[in-house]
Amino acid sequence: MDKIVRIDMGAKGGPKITTEPVGEYAGLGGRATTSLIINKEVHPLCHPLGAENKLVIAPGMLSGSTGAMTGRLSVGCKSPLTGTIKESNAGGQAAQVLARIGYAAIILEGKPEGDDLYKIIVNKDGVKVEVDNSLKLLDNYPTVAKLREQYGDKVAYMSIGSAGERLLLGSSIACTDPELRPTRHCGRGGVGAVMGSKKVKAIILDDAGMKHRAPKDPEKYRDANRKFVEGLRKHPVTGEGLPAYGTNVLTNVLNEAGGYPTYNFKTGVFPTGAKLSGEALAELEIKRGGTATHGCHRGCVIQCSGIYNDKDGHYLTKQPEYETVWAHGGNCGIDDLDTVAKLDFMDDNIGLDTIEMGATIGVAMDAGLIEFGDKEGAIRLMEEVGKGTPLGRILGCGAGITGKVFGVEKVPVVKNQAIPAYDPRPIQGIGVTYATTTMGADHTAGYAIATNILKVGGDVDPLKTEGQVELSRNLQIATAAIDSTGMCLFIAFAIMDQPETFQALLDMLNAFYGTELTADGVVDLGKKVLSAERDFNKRAGFSKEDDRLPRFFYTDPIAPHNQVFSMKDEELDEVFNW
Amino acid sequence: MDKIVRIDMGAKGGPKITTEPVGEYAGLGGRATTSLIINKEVHPLCHPLGAENKLVIAPGMLSGSTGAMTGRLSVGCKSPLTGTIKESNAGGQAAQVLARIGYAAIILEGKPEGDDLYKIIVNKDGVKVEVDNSLKLLDNYPTVAKLREQYGDKVAYMSIGSAGERLLLGSSIACTDPELRPTRHCGRGGVGAVMGSKKVKAIILDDAGMKHRAPKDPEKYRDANRKFVEGLRKHPVTGEGLPAYGTNVLTNVLNEAGGYPTYNFKTGVFPTGAKLSGEALAELEIKRGGTATHGCHRGCVIQCSGIYNDKDGHYLTKQPEYETVWAHGGNCGIDDLDTVAKLDFMDDNIGLDTIEMGATIGVAMDAGLIEFGDKEGAIRLMEEVGKGTPLGRILGCGAGITGKVFGVEKVPVVKNQAIPAYDPRPIQGIGVTYATTTMGADHTAGYAIATNILKVGGDVDPLKTEGQVELSRNLQIATAAIDSTGMCLFIAFAIMDQPETFQALLDMLNAFYGTELTADGVVDLGKKVLSAERDFNKRAGFSKEDDRLPRFFYTDPIAPHNQVFSMKDEELDEVFNW
């Protein structure tokens, strides 16, 4: 990872490829790399789908090594959905492969004229950009199927579906898992539309002839990694809950906590939510010959993924994540796993963020387009998106646009990005994160659920305002750092509860880079990333008044706790006051 | 105008009407009244279509008197289009009638549950609110026709078309002219959607039994008014150009100046623009038995309006304004007056802002929905809006939303409101106004065209940056004051050039109110209004970075002057630094 490749898609005479030393970004990775580059190089008031925006693709600091859990890939840009800076990360194989080929970042810039569609091939010999109009308007599964005919199975694919080509604001970038299914998505913020605006359909990453990245101190790295893995296996969340039931283990937990937004955020409990639970999901997957325990990238020891087969035992989709099950399920009053799985497949295939799409269908239900609980109706709406009809385009542009076009008042978005599966009224801590993160509403940016609900890393009462600002602040700082390492965020459960596991992570980083990073150094890294992101957003016109939830969270109490979001504006303004 | 009526549309048991003394708003009117009330009473982060927003309807300071040109009605709210505070004003009869009935403002607040549609009747006996579901989804012409059966011809009607009921962000509020045609619109900012969100279809204003408002010093008022009228008749713009050709006298002027945005702002000259000119329009109107000289309200002495008949001599629409002719004409590559007139009628009938809709169709053309110059296609798109199809809803929500849904990069909006008929690259002064006004892109907020192009009130070179900030600042201050008086903004030409006409205006105000207002006092009033508006916008999250034009104005030079918008950010930030 000592070089960066820059591809000017708008160069006269066709895409121009230049390679440069990693320079000031040496020793960084993932979100640190993408956010620092975007903040430095992109005009904050540019049109997100114009030539001035850039798409930065960066593996994490430890990606490509033999370390466990190091397979997260970060993608950064100015978001067409939120107008803020954006880092969206995914699992799958891409990060490991790109890191082993040796690139700290791919920077896509400019915008080609004409209608040609391109693919980018990255391997040990360098980078090539080729026109491939045969891929036009193919969705992700057929795109990968077609590419596999040419490039085989020993590579990693990144691609956009028809949604990204159509520049829809809810579109994602898919990364293939070890079995080459395009199931791991940089989902949030419309990053797929930015790739689409640059007319890049797919990136083929081929690490044939390359080796694992070598740590400065291999023995120390191996030792630290072993302790790190032990810690993950020991913790009840990463060692038991996630492997057995996946992220959807949360459905029952959130429903019982009264924090499960149901019927487009009208109540906090979904009466038949148990039918969507991780427990029910795992049982069904196993019964149908799928699996409830699967890793989305090689080196994963948590194995929170799975395979969802249809009733005939044929692959339908990967195990839907909790937020997906919520978005397409309870949020829409739908309690049927087969419907949710079908919608998950459609999202992955068309190339859409599942959270945004579920929230959007919830808003469409509030608008009266279909009834809450209408399973066939929800699928029909998604088909419209896949076809790119005017209605489909509205929906594919997310909950905010859908709310505006149909005049819906209750639209759960912050900075125009859909609020995920945790209601901020009975869980005030996650509300602080939604309101203040640089990303628009995003649970992963500072997952207060850990401490508010799961009691990981302490215990902060979710119903009270006390302690939430500090909790969200610390989580946002830690997350910005973790998102830079290439580590899956789920390691946070173990490192928050087990000091020795956190130390093992530090040891891994230090053994790999020959550094002497301390806990304070991790905090400094997180702050550095967040500061860059906040600087961009400020210059893009965002002010503290944008760090608020939609008004209905302040005015409409939600059952069963009958609470509103009651954090004061002045408290929210303290999150980044460190 | 010593009282305000407040109608809580969301009160339990049905709309609740309360009347209160005018209080702190005594002696104010129009924009001063609406903006001060909105800034004081509306939560700046409320949902514009929610119960927390208010719609304030206020006649001007001199409305209802015998003074000339005093027929402007201001409507204020938080705009669903821009998210800013909004004042949108119109001619027609409403202001005069409402003022004579004695109300300084109608404040619509709250939001009813259920599907009932209401009408409000205001007369000498007070205010009534009645359900009238027979008006549902009627457009403005049939709405007024139906209301005339019940309320007759001696009243003024305000109404929304289907667009307002559908909560489309481009929807307007129509006011009838002296012949009871719903042709004078509070067009900008989606004020019709706010009225629609409160389920108010129409307001019937009946001043039977009421007299002209009496000045404190009638003789002095009559004398000042006579001098004021003399001044208007003497000035070439208000005495000759506007009466003869209407506002569309500007088509040839702007086209010759190279500042006529053509093909969605791709070039500054429309080769066949002369076919759309005010000269051609007046000739056609007269030939077909219409008229090129008509007043939109009683007391108008400029008479810039007109009647446009179809080729069979039947009324088609009122004389389209310059900005309408541009928006639906040159901006879309359409050089046919009958098409423009038809689209103008459709806008008025469906209840839409002509500027927003023309700009939107231009963006839709850039998106490839139809070709530039496609007359039938443009009409077909407007029919979609009238039908409320998904495509129609997109378009009816304006240029910004349309650009997002269809992934168009070149979207001429500021704060999501469409930029009107004057390109800011060859006319830098108007760009300063677009960027900085509290309203989103709006030429009327500080009409720098006067001095940049028409050489009224001085001569500031439109191609240079020098002097533009001061020009826009002074015009914005003066406009905020004029918009409060109830005076038609077109008086500005005469009062900018003729000190004695400005003095006559001051004398009218002082004679009416028994005050001793000076030129400085007018400036103070304008600043007071702008300061309230800026305070609201700041609290709504707008920062100086929002006071910019879209990037393409800075990066893409426009022919024939091959200029970009070159005002520095720091210069724009000086506009309100007084």
Side-chain angles (χ1 to χ4, degrees):
Chain A
M1 289 189 11
D2 58 351
K3 58 187 185 287
I4 287 173
V5 62
R6 203 178 279 272
I7 307 175
D8 179 1
M9 294 300 300
K12 290 209 168 126
K16 181 167 162 246
I17 302 163
T18 33
T19 304
E20 59 199 49
V22 65
E24 65 190 287
Y25 307 107
L28 297 175
R31 180 169 166 186
T33 300
T34 63
S35 288
L36 294 179
I37 292 176
I38 294 298
N39 189 43
K40 185 179 178 189
E41 299 191 7
V42 173
H43 194 296
L45 297 173
C46 76
H47 194 294
L49 304 179
E52 291 188 309
N53 201 4
K54 303 192 182 191
L55 189 76
V56 182
I57 302 166
M61 294 161 72
L62 297 178
S63 298
S65 75
T66 55
M69 311 305 305
T70 58
R72 297 301 283 194
L73 182 85
S74 288
V75 159
C77 58
K78 171 168 173 162
S79 163
L81 184 74
T82 64
T84 66
I85 199 168
K86 175 57 63 178
E87 185 266 357
S88 190
N89 62 63
Q93 290 290 102
Q96 304 283 27
V97 175
L98 180 58
R100 280 197 287 263
I101 304 173
Y103 292 103
I106 299 172
I107 305 176
L108 300 182
E109 45 189 45
K111 185 174 169 175
E113 295 186 0
D115 287 331
D116 279 335
L117 196 61
Y118 296 86
K119 61 188 175 191
I120 297 171
I121 305 102
V122 184
N123 59 27
K124 66 177 169 40
D125 301 322
V127 176
K128 282 190 297 185
V129 183
E130 294 177 2
V131 173
D132 188 346
N133 291 321
S134 73
L135 301 172
K136 270 193 186 174
L137 289 178
L138 288 188
D139 283 323
N140 282 312
Y141 277 88
T143 295
V144 171
K146 197 156 200 310
L147 291 170
R148 281 173 75 173
E149 293 170 12
Q150 187 172 359
Y151 301 100
D153 293 351
K154 296 192 184 309
V155 301
Y157 297 102
M158 297 175 66
S159 62
I160 56 172
S162 56
E165 281 190 72
R166 290 196 172 104
L167 309 178
L168 303 186
L169 306 187
S171 59
S172 63
I173 297 174
C175 299
T176 46
D177 69 6
E179 293 80 23
L180 296 167
R181 292 173 292 230
T183 56
R184 318 315 307 184
H185 287 243
C186 300
R188 310 229 67 190
V191 292
V194 178
M195 189 155 145
S197 74
K198 303 197 179 300
K199 301 282 174 84
V200 176
K201 178 70 177 181
I203 303 175
I204 299 105
L205 303 166
D206 179 359
D207 63 354
M210 305 302 289
K211 294 180 184 161
H212 282 111
R213 287 173 66 213
K216 287 259 183 190
D217 186 335
E219 197 167 336
K220 196 177 156 205
Y221 190 69
R222 198 162 47 235
D223 187 50
N225 184 46
R226 194 181 59 243
K227 287 183 186 146
F228 182 63
V229 170
E230 278 170 14
L232 294 174
R233 293 208 164 117
K234 185 170 74 181
H235 193 276
V237 174
T238 47
E240 294 168 29
L242 286 173
Y245 305 116
T247 52
N248 194 23
V249 67
L250 288 166
T251 293
N252 282 343
V253 175
L254 269 296
N255 216 16
E256 278 157 26
Y260 187 86
T262 303
Y263 308 124
N264 189 29
F265 288 81
K266 286 197 199 61
T267 176
V269 177
F270 186 36
T272 54
K275 291 169 71 178
L276 297 174
S277 71
E279 294 81 345
L281 179 63
E283 192 185 325
L284 189 66
E285 284 169 341
I286 292 165
K287 188 178 125 193
R288 289 180 175 176
T291 171
T293 307
H294 171 268
C296 80
H297 69 281
R298 291 197 191 95
C300 169
V301 298
I302 297 178
Q303 305 267 312
C304 73
S305 182
I307 304 297
Y308 190 100
N309 288 344
D310 64 19
K311 60 183 168 40
D312 302 321
H314 299 125
Y315 174 83
L316 175 53
T317 190
K318 98 282 188 183
Q319 173 177 287
E321 304 295 341
Y322 163 64
E323 288 77 11
T324 306
V325 176
W326 161 78
H328 282 304
N331 182 53
C332 293
I334 289 173
D335 61 8
D336 177 59
L337 280 172
D338 277 336
T339 302
V340 168
K342 167 81 175 165
L343 292 165
D344 179 80
F345 168 78
M346 294 176 85
D347 285 326
D348 283 356
N349 194 32
I350 301 167
L352 294 159
D353 176 20
T354 58
I355 295 172
E356 195 67 44
M357 290 317 298
T360 298
I361 294 174
V363 169
M365 287 170 162
D366 245 359
L369 269 75
I370 56 172
E371 297 288 312
F372 281 98
D374 182 351
K375 297 182 281 187
E376 293 75 22
I379 290 169
R380 210 165 52 237
L381 290 183
M382 284 292 296
E383 286 170 348
E384 297 276 333
V385 185
K387 286 186 272 188
T389 62
L391 175 58
R393 281 186 168 273
I394 297 167
L395 301 169
C397 283
I401 292 275
T402 300
K404 284 194 168 153
V405 171
F406 290 102
V408 178
E409 189 187 338
K410 190 167 272 188
V411 180
V413 296
V414 177
K415 301 181 180 74
N416 203 42
Q417 181 165 284
I419 293 179
Y422 314 87
D423 198 286
R425 288 163 288 190
I427 316 171
Q428 304 270 322
I430 197 69
V432 176
T433 295
Y434 292 157
T436 61
T437 160
T438 51
M439 295 289 147
D442 183 347
H443 60 297
T444 67
Y447 192 64
I449 304 305
T451 310
N452 277 177
I453 301 291
L454 306 177
K455 311 307 177 193
V456 169
D459 180 357
V460 175
D461 187 339
L463 299 170
K464 297 196 173 137
T465 58
E466 287 75 23
Q468 308 292 5
V469 164
E470 194 187 356
L471 173 64
S472 178
R473 178 194 297 134
N474 292 339
L475 287 167
Q476 290 196 55
I477 293 168
T479 302
I482 293 174
D483 285 345
S484 304
T485 61
M487 286 281 173
C488 172
L489 189 56
F490 294 160
I491 67 162
F493 297 108
I495 66 174
M496 283 166 79
D497 271 344
Q498 300 163 183
E500 73 279 13
T501 310
F502 180 53
Q503 187 56 50
L505 173 62
L506 290 180
D507 292 345
M508 284 176 76
L509 288 163
N510 288 326
F512 195 90
Y513 283 100
T515 50
E516 294 182 11
L517 192 70
T518 61
D520 285 350
V522 172
V523 168
D524 290 345
L525 172 62
K527 287 180 178 174
K528 181 178 176 176
V529 173
L530 290 171
S531 296
E533 291 168 354
R534 301 229 337 137
D535 178 53
F536 184 93
N537 288 353
K538 180 163 183 258
R539 293 183 296 119
F542 290 85
S543 65
K544 62 188 170 68
E545 287 78 13
D546 295 299
D547 287 350
R548 306 289 180 257
L549 297 185
R551 282 291 295 162
F552 74 89
F553 287 110
Y554 296 88
T555 55
D556 298 6
I558 191 168
H561 295 287
N562 293 315
Q563 278 216 169
V564 296
F565 184 66
S566 45
M567 299 298 303
K568 291 197 181 73
D569 291 350
E570 302 74 45
E571 294 177 298
L572 296 177
D573 296 340
E574 286 301 307
V575 169
F576 296 99
N577 200 359
W578 54 58
Chain B
M1 287 190 11
D2 58 352
K3 55 188 187 287
I4 287 173
V5 61
R6 201 177 279 273
I7 307 176
D8 180 1
M9 294 301 299
K12 289 210 168 123
K16 182 168 162 243
I17 302 162
T18 33
T19 304
E20 60 200 48
V22 66
E24 65 190 286
Y25 307 107
L28 297 177
R31 179 169 166 185
T33 300
T34 64
S35 288
L36 294 178
I37 291 176
I38 294 298
N39 189 42
K40 185 180 178 188
E41 298 191 9
V42 173
H43 194 297
L45 296 174
C46 76
H47 194 295
L49 303 179
E52 291 188 309
N53 201 5
K54 304 191 181 191
L55 189 76
V56 182
I57 301 165
M61 294 162 71
L62 297 178
S63 298
S65 75
T66 55
M69 310 307 303
T70 59
R72 297 301 284 193
L73 182 83
S74 289
V75 160
C77 58
K78 171 167 172 161
S79 163
L81 183 75
T82 64
T84 65
I85 200 169
K86 175 58 61 180
E87 185 266 356
S88 191
N89 62 63
Q93 289 291 101
Q96 304 283 26
V97 176
L98 180 58
R100 281 196 287 263
I101 304 173
Y103 292 103
I106 300 172
I107 304 178
L108 301 182
E109 44 190 45
K111 186 173 169 173
E113 294 186 1
D115 288 331
D116 279 338
L117 195 61
Y118 295 86
K119 61 187 175 191
I120 296 172
I121 304 101
V122 184
N123 60 26
K124 67 176 169 40
D125 301 321
V127 177
K128 283 190 298 184
V129 183
E130 293 177 3
V131 172
D132 188 346
N133 292 321
S134 74
L135 301 172
K136 270 193 186 175
L137 290 178
L138 289 188
D139 283 323
N140 281 312
Y141 277 89
T143 295
V144 170
K146 197 157 201 307
L147 290 170
R148 282 174 75 173
E149 292 169 13
Q150 188 172 358
Y151 300 99
D153 292 350
K154 296 191 184 309
V155 300
Y157 297 102
M158 297 175 66
S159 61
I160 56 172
S162 56
E165 281 191 71
R166 292 197 171 102
L167 309 178
L168 303 186
L169 306 186
S171 58
S172 63
I173 297 174
C175 300
T176 47
D177 69 6
E179 293 80 23
L180 295 168
R181 294 174 289 230
T183 55
R184 317 316 305 184
H185 288 243
C186 300
R188 309 229 67 191
V191 293
V194 178
M195 188 155 147
S197 74
K198 303 199 178 302
K199 301 281 175 87
V200 176
K201 178 70 177 179
I203 303 175
I204 298 105
L205 302 166
D206 178 359
D207 63 354
M210 305 301 290
K211 294 181 182 160
H212 281 110
R213 287 173 66 212
K216 288 258 182 188
D217 186 335
E219 198 166 334
K220 193 175 158 208
Y221 190 69
R222 199 163 45 237
D223 187 50
N225 184 46
R226 194 181 59 244
K227 287 183 185 146
F228 182 64
V229 170
E230 278 170 14
L232 294 174
R233 293 207 165 120
K234 184 171 73 181
H235 193 276
V237 173
T238 48
E240 295 168 28
L242 286 173
Y245 305 115
T247 52
N248 195 24
V249 68
L250 288 166
T251 293
N252 282 343
V253 176
L254 270 295
N255 216 16
E256 278 157 27
Y260 187 86
T262 303
Y263 309 125
N264 190 30
F265 288 81
K266 284 196 200 61
T267 177
V269 177
F270 186 37
T272 53
K275 291 170 71 178
L276 297 174
S277 70
E279 293 80 347
L281 179 64
E283 191 186 325
L284 189 66
E285 284 170 341
I286 292 163
K287 185 178 126 194
R288 288 181 177 176
T291 170
T293 306
H294 171 267
C296 78
H297 70 281
R298 292 197 190 94
C300 170
V301 298
I302 297 178
Q303 305 266 313
C304 73
S305 183
I307 304 296
Y308 190 100
N309 287 346
D310 64 18
K311 58 185 169 39
D312 301 320
H314 300 126
Y315 174 83
L316 174 53
T317 190
K318 98 279 188 184
Q319 173 176 287
E321 305 294 341
Y322 163 64
E323 289 77 11
T324 305
V325 175
W326 161 79
H328 283 304
N331 182 53
C332 294
I334 289 172
D335 61 10
D336 177 60
L337 280 172
D338 277 336
T339 302
V340 169
K342 167 81 176 167
L343 291 166
D344 179 80
F345 169 78
M346 293 177 84
D347 285 326
D348 282 357
N349 194 32
I350 301 167
L352 295 160
D353 176 20
T354 58
I355 295 172
E356 195 67 44
M357 290 317 298
T360 298
I361 293 174
V363 169
M365 287 170 162
D366 245 357
L369 270 74
I370 56 174
E371 298 288 312
F372 281 98
D374 181 351
K375 298 182 280 186
E376 293 76 22
I379 290 169
R380 211 165 52 237
L381 290 183
M382 284 291 295
E383 285 170 349
E384 297 277 332
V385 186
K387 287 187 271 188
T389 62
L391 175 58
R393 280 185 169 274
I394 298 166
L395 301 169
C397 283
I401 292 274
T402 300
K404 283 193 169 156
V405 170
F406 290 102
V408 178
E409 190 188 336
K410 191 167 271 189
V411 180
V413 297
V414 177
K415 302 180 180 74
N416 202 42
Q417 182 166 282
I419 293 178
Y422 314 87
D423 198 286
R425 288 164 288 191
I427 316 171
Q428 305 270 323
I430 198 69
V432 175
T433 295
Y434 293 158
T436 61
T437 160
T438 52
M439 295 290 148
D442 183 349
H443 60 297
T444 67
Y447 193 64
I449 303 305
T451 311
N452 278 177
I453 301 292
L454 306 176
K455 310 306 177 194
V456 170
D459 181 357
V460 175
D461 187 338
L463 298 171
K464 296 196 173 139
T465 59
E466 287 75 24
Q468 308 292 5
V469 164
E470 193 186 358
L471 173 64
S472 178
R473 178 194 298 134
N474 292 339
L475 286 167
Q476 290 196 56
I477 292 169
T479 303
I482 292 173
D483 285 344
S484 305
T485 61
M487 285 282 174
C488 173
L489 189 55
F490 294 159
I491 67 161
F493 297 108
I495 66 174
M496 283 165 77
D497 271 344
Q498 300 163 185
E500 72 280 13
T501 310
F502 179 53
Q503 187 57 50
L505 173 63
L506 289 180
D507 291 345
M508 284 176 76
L509 287 162
N510 288 327
F512 195 90
Y513 283 101
T515 50
E516 295 183 9
L517 191 71
T518 60
D520 285 349
V522 171
V523 169
D524 289 344
L525 172 63
K527 286 181 179 176
K528 181 177 175 176
V529 173
L530 290 171
S531 296
E533 291 167 353
R534 298 221 350 130
D535 179 53
F536 184 92
N537 288 354
K538 181 164 182 255
R539 294 183 297 119
F542 290 85
S543 64
K544 63 188 169 66
E545 286 79 12
D546 296 300
D547 288 350
R548 306 288 180 257
L549 298 185
R551 283 291 296 162
F552 74 89
F553 287 110
Y554 296 88
T555 55
D556 299 4
I558 192 168
H561 294 287
N562 293 314
Q563 276 218 169
V564 296
F565 184 65
S566 45
M567 298 299 302
K568 291 198 182 71
D569 291 349
E570 302 72 47
E571 293 177 298
L572 297 176
D573 296 340
E574 286 301 307
V575 170
F576 296 99
N577 200 359
W578 52 58

